[in-house]
Amino acid sequence: MEKNLELQEMTVEEMKTFIKLGKKKEEMFQALQKGNGMKGILNVAYELLENPITVCDTSFSIIENYPLHSNDKDFEIRNGKQYMKTEAVQSMHRERLVERIFSETAPFTFYRDALGVNMMYCRISIKRSVVGYICVLARKRSFETTDFEIVRTLSQMLSVEMQKNSFFTERTGFKYEYFLTDLLDGNMVGKEFIEQRIRQLGRKPMRHYWIMTGMFEKEQDIYMNQRYYIEQMVTIIKNSIALFYKGHIVLLTSAEARIPFDVAEEVKIKDFLTLNRMKLAISHQFDNPSDAQLYYQQTIRLLSVCGSLETSACVLRYGEYMIESLIDPKMKKIQRKAAIHPDIKYLIAYDRENRTEYFHTLRVYISCGRNALRSAETLHIHKSTFFYRMNKIAELLGGPIEERLFQCEISLRLLKLSGDKSGNSNTTGK
């Protein structure tokens, strides 16, 4: 009789627990539907778990925690945001905890010696890609069987909440995307701190940095998942990290040499870009990763004008098209033509009237780095003929040409961006 009564009491308790669990799940769904945000969902989960909950992204920084609590052993505050310390990340790697977080689909417990507390972890996924993880500290009470189910449900709710939030819409699951987003948004400062984060993410910070931004020539050229393109580019360009950011693939790479990749890598990346109908803009070299946002903007400026450039190249270096990039892409064609130096317009008109090649000669001279011998070879004329033409140009323009070469070069770039084909060789070779 006593055993039956005890069994009956256990059954009633199980039913009460089941009903309570169901109600809390329903409350989490309601918090999600009402748009109470991540904190609202965590509030409901905390009432059942009775232990502090932390949600981290895949670069080991805190997205949200409830109730608000600190962990000085693991985290440090930078720019108002909590990031995991290098030593803590290294410890998690040594304990193979990071591997378990990103590979196991169900919640699991793990005893952290450094904190002297048992913890429950569960990853958060969007379309099979891990975007973060939940961490529950057994600070108030020990974990119970029902806690695993509530944390699993919490993971699903947070996945939906993250997809509602535009901040997560372009994620592809790479562990360094949150770090790069903060960097490109200008939310991270301090070279030493940033380079610590790069090391945490499995890359080696070196002397020089570059930002590279990839763009598809046409939106319909995107045939594969974003993750495929990122994986391929990171594989080709060593020591790089990448993400899909504001509609583009963006990479941060670092090297000791003053070039972002060697000859073999350049061949491979060009083949990849050509096959996938992409353009890759490369920033100037920079030495402080805190400046990444500025150099990202260089690549965006370059991509904004690449459709007007007279080039079929798939790799565009900012240094080669710096002048074009500085020109306002919103400037109308008629405004660009008006900005062309009068000397250039005069030479074009003179050549048309007199069947000469002075404008073409000047254009070749500038494109050859103002090297007279190279210019003569390119024009297939004797060097004495070249010098005769240059002297004649100076005579026509009323003074030494060297003083106006920079303005002439800018004008030539404007001419290209305007799509003006003036000055093509159609003369007798004078």
Side-chain angles (χ1 to χ4, degrees):
M1 185 70 177
E2 290 182 2
K3 288 185 177 179
N4 288 338
L5 185 59
E6 185 179 342
L7 181 61
Q8 186 178 2
E9 289 175 351
M10 289 176 61
T11 303
V12 170
E13 286 301 317
E14 285 291 328
M15 289 180 65
K16 287 182 178 178
T17 301
F18 180 78
I19 292 170
K20 182 180 179 182
L21 181 61
K23 286 183 177 179
K24 288 302 175 184
K25 283 185 178 182
E26 181 61 30
E27 286 180 34
M28 279 197 285
F29 276 109
Q30 289 176 0
L32 179 65
Q33 291 175 340
K34 290 178 180 178
N36 293 340
M38 192 177 292
K39 185 162 286 188
I41 298 170
L42 293 181
N43 184 9
V44 177
Y46 174 72
E47 290 179 10
L48 188 59
L49 294 170
E50 301 178 68
N51 279 312
I53 309 167
T54 301
V55 180
C56 293
D57 61 34
T58 47
S59 69
F60 306 103
S61 63
I62 294 178
I63 302 173
E64 190 65 82
N65 60 10
Y66 192 92
L68 190 64
H69 60 279
S70 60
N71 174 0
D72 295 336
K73 287 188 177 180
D74 277 351
F75 291 90
E76 59 184 346
I77 298 176
R78 295 269 184 161
N79 289 344
K81 190 172 181 179
Q82 292 190 67
Y83 293 93
M84 186 168 283
K85 295 178 180 178
T86 303
E87 307 80 46
V89 176
Q90 291 171 343
S91 173
M92 289 175 68
H93 277 289
R94 285 195 301 270
E95 295 168 331
R96 302 183 71 84
L97 179 55
V98 175
E99 182 180 331
R100 288 190 66 185
I101 291 172
F102 293 110
S103 62
E104 296 194 18
T105 56
F108 66 91
T109 57
F110 190 92
Y111 186 79
R112 291 290 306 279
D113 287 321
L115 301 176
V117 65
N118 201 28
M119 307 179 83
M120 183 180 292
Y121 292 92
C122 184
R123 75 183 196 181
I124 305 168
S125 301
I126 296 177
K127 297 180 180 179
R128 300 180 185 178
S129 296
V130 181
V131 295
Y133 64 91
I134 300 164
C135 172
V136 184
L137 286 75
R139 183 172 289 174
K140 188 174 180 181
R141 66 165 175 81
S142 300
F143 292 125
E144 299 173 356
T145 305
T146 53
D147 291 342
F148 291 87
E149 181 61 27
I150 200 69
V151 170
R152 184 198 296 271
T153 304
L154 177 60
S155 170
Q156 295 168 349
M157 294 297 99
L158 294 179
S159 173
V160 176
E161 178 63 27
M162 287 177 173
Q163 290 178 72
K164 286 169 57 182
N165 188 329
S166 60
F167 181 78
F168 295 93
T169 55
E170 294 180 338
R171 301 289 178 240
T172 57
F174 283 105
K175 62 183 181 181
Y176 31 70
E177 291 194 357
Y178 300 99
F179 160 75
L180 266 181
T181 298
D182 277 348
L183 191 64
L184 296 176
D185 285 346
N187 296 329
M188 298 186 77
V189 295
K191 182 177 181 181
E192 183 178 345
F193 171 67
I194 294 172
E195 291 187 337
Q196 279 184 357
R197 304 289 295 156
I198 292 172
R199 290 189 189 94
Q200 288 175 8
L201 298 172
R203 294 295 184 266
K204 186 177 180 181
M206 296 188 182
R207 187 173 182 180
H208 307 299
Y209 293 88
W210 292 264
I211 290 290
M212 304 181 189
T213 302
M215 178 185 74
F216 291 90
E217 293 180 9
K218 297 178 181 177
E219 190 173 342
Q220 56 266 35
D221 290 336
I222 307 175
Y223 299 109
M224 306 291 287
N225 185 283
Q226 296 162 4
R227 182 167 186 159
Y228 163 79
Y229 298 105
I230 292 176
E231 284 178 342
Q232 294 296 310
M233 295 178 79
V234 168
T235 300
I236 296 169
I237 302 173
K238 298 172 186 173
N239 202 39
S240 63
I241 54 180
L243 85 165
F244 198 80
Y245 179 78
K246 296 183 178 180
H248 298 97
I249 295 173
V250 183
L251 294 90
L252 171 71
T253 189
S254 182
E256 286 297 321
R258 296 187 64 190
I259 52 174
F261 37 63
D262 59 30
V263 175
E265 288 173 327
E266 183 163 2
V267 170
K268 290 179 182 178
I269 196 65
K270 284 182 175 179
D271 287 344
F272 173 81
L273 295 169
T274 302
L275 287 170
N276 291 283
R277 299 181 183 180
M278 292 177 66
K279 299 281 189 184
L280 184 69
I282 302 176
S283 74
H284 274 328
Q285 162 202 317
F286 58 102
D287 298 334
N288 189 338
S290 297
D291 297 330
Q293 184 187 42
L294 297 173
Y295 291 89
Y296 162 72
Q297 290 167 355
Q298 284 186 354
T299 63
I300 291 300
R301 294 280 296 182
L302 179 50
L303 290 175
S304 72
V305 299
C306 72
S308 304
L309 301 176
E310 290 185 1
T311 178
S312 59
C314 53
V315 173
L316 307 172
R317 290 173 170 82
Y318 185 77
E320 296 175 9
Y321 300 100
M322 183 174 67
I323 295 175
E324 288 89 341
S325 299
L326 293 173
I327 296 168
D328 186 353
K330 296 179 182 178
M331 185 186 289
K332 295 178 181 179
K333 186 182 290 187
I334 192 169
Q335 292 173 314
R336 290 175 183 168
K337 286 186 176 181
I340 294 169
H341 197 281
D343 287 351
I344 295 296
K345 295 178 179 179
Y346 177 76
L347 285 179
I348 291 172
Y350 186 91
D351 284 342
R352 283 176 178 165
E353 292 177 11
N354 298 278
R355 296 180 62 80
T356 51
E357 288 192 358
Y358 297 131
F359 168 72
H360 180 56
T361 300
L362 179 61
R363 181 168 57 182
V364 169
Y365 180 54
I366 290 173
S367 68
C368 288
R370 307 178 189 183
N371 184 300
L373 294 179
R374 277 178 55 201
S375 301
E377 291 174 1
T378 303
L379 291 164
H380 305 293
I381 59 176
H382 193 272
K383 61 182 180 181
S384 60
T385 304
F386 172 78
F387 286 120
Y388 167 79
R389 290 186 185 178
M390 292 301 293
N391 288 331
K392 185 64 177 177
I393 290 170
E395 180 185 323
L396 290 170
L397 300 181
I401 189 63
E402 288 76 13
E403 297 175 2
R404 286 172 282 189
L405 282 177
F406 181 67
Q407 293 130 310
C408 289
E409 183 172 358
I410 293 176
S411 295
L412 291 175
R413 305 290 181 99
L414 283 168
L415 206 61
K416 282 185 178 181
L417 289 175
S418 301
D420 197 323
K421 302 297 181 181
S422 300
N424 288 338
S425 179
N426 59 353
T427 66
T428 57
K430 293 181 183 177

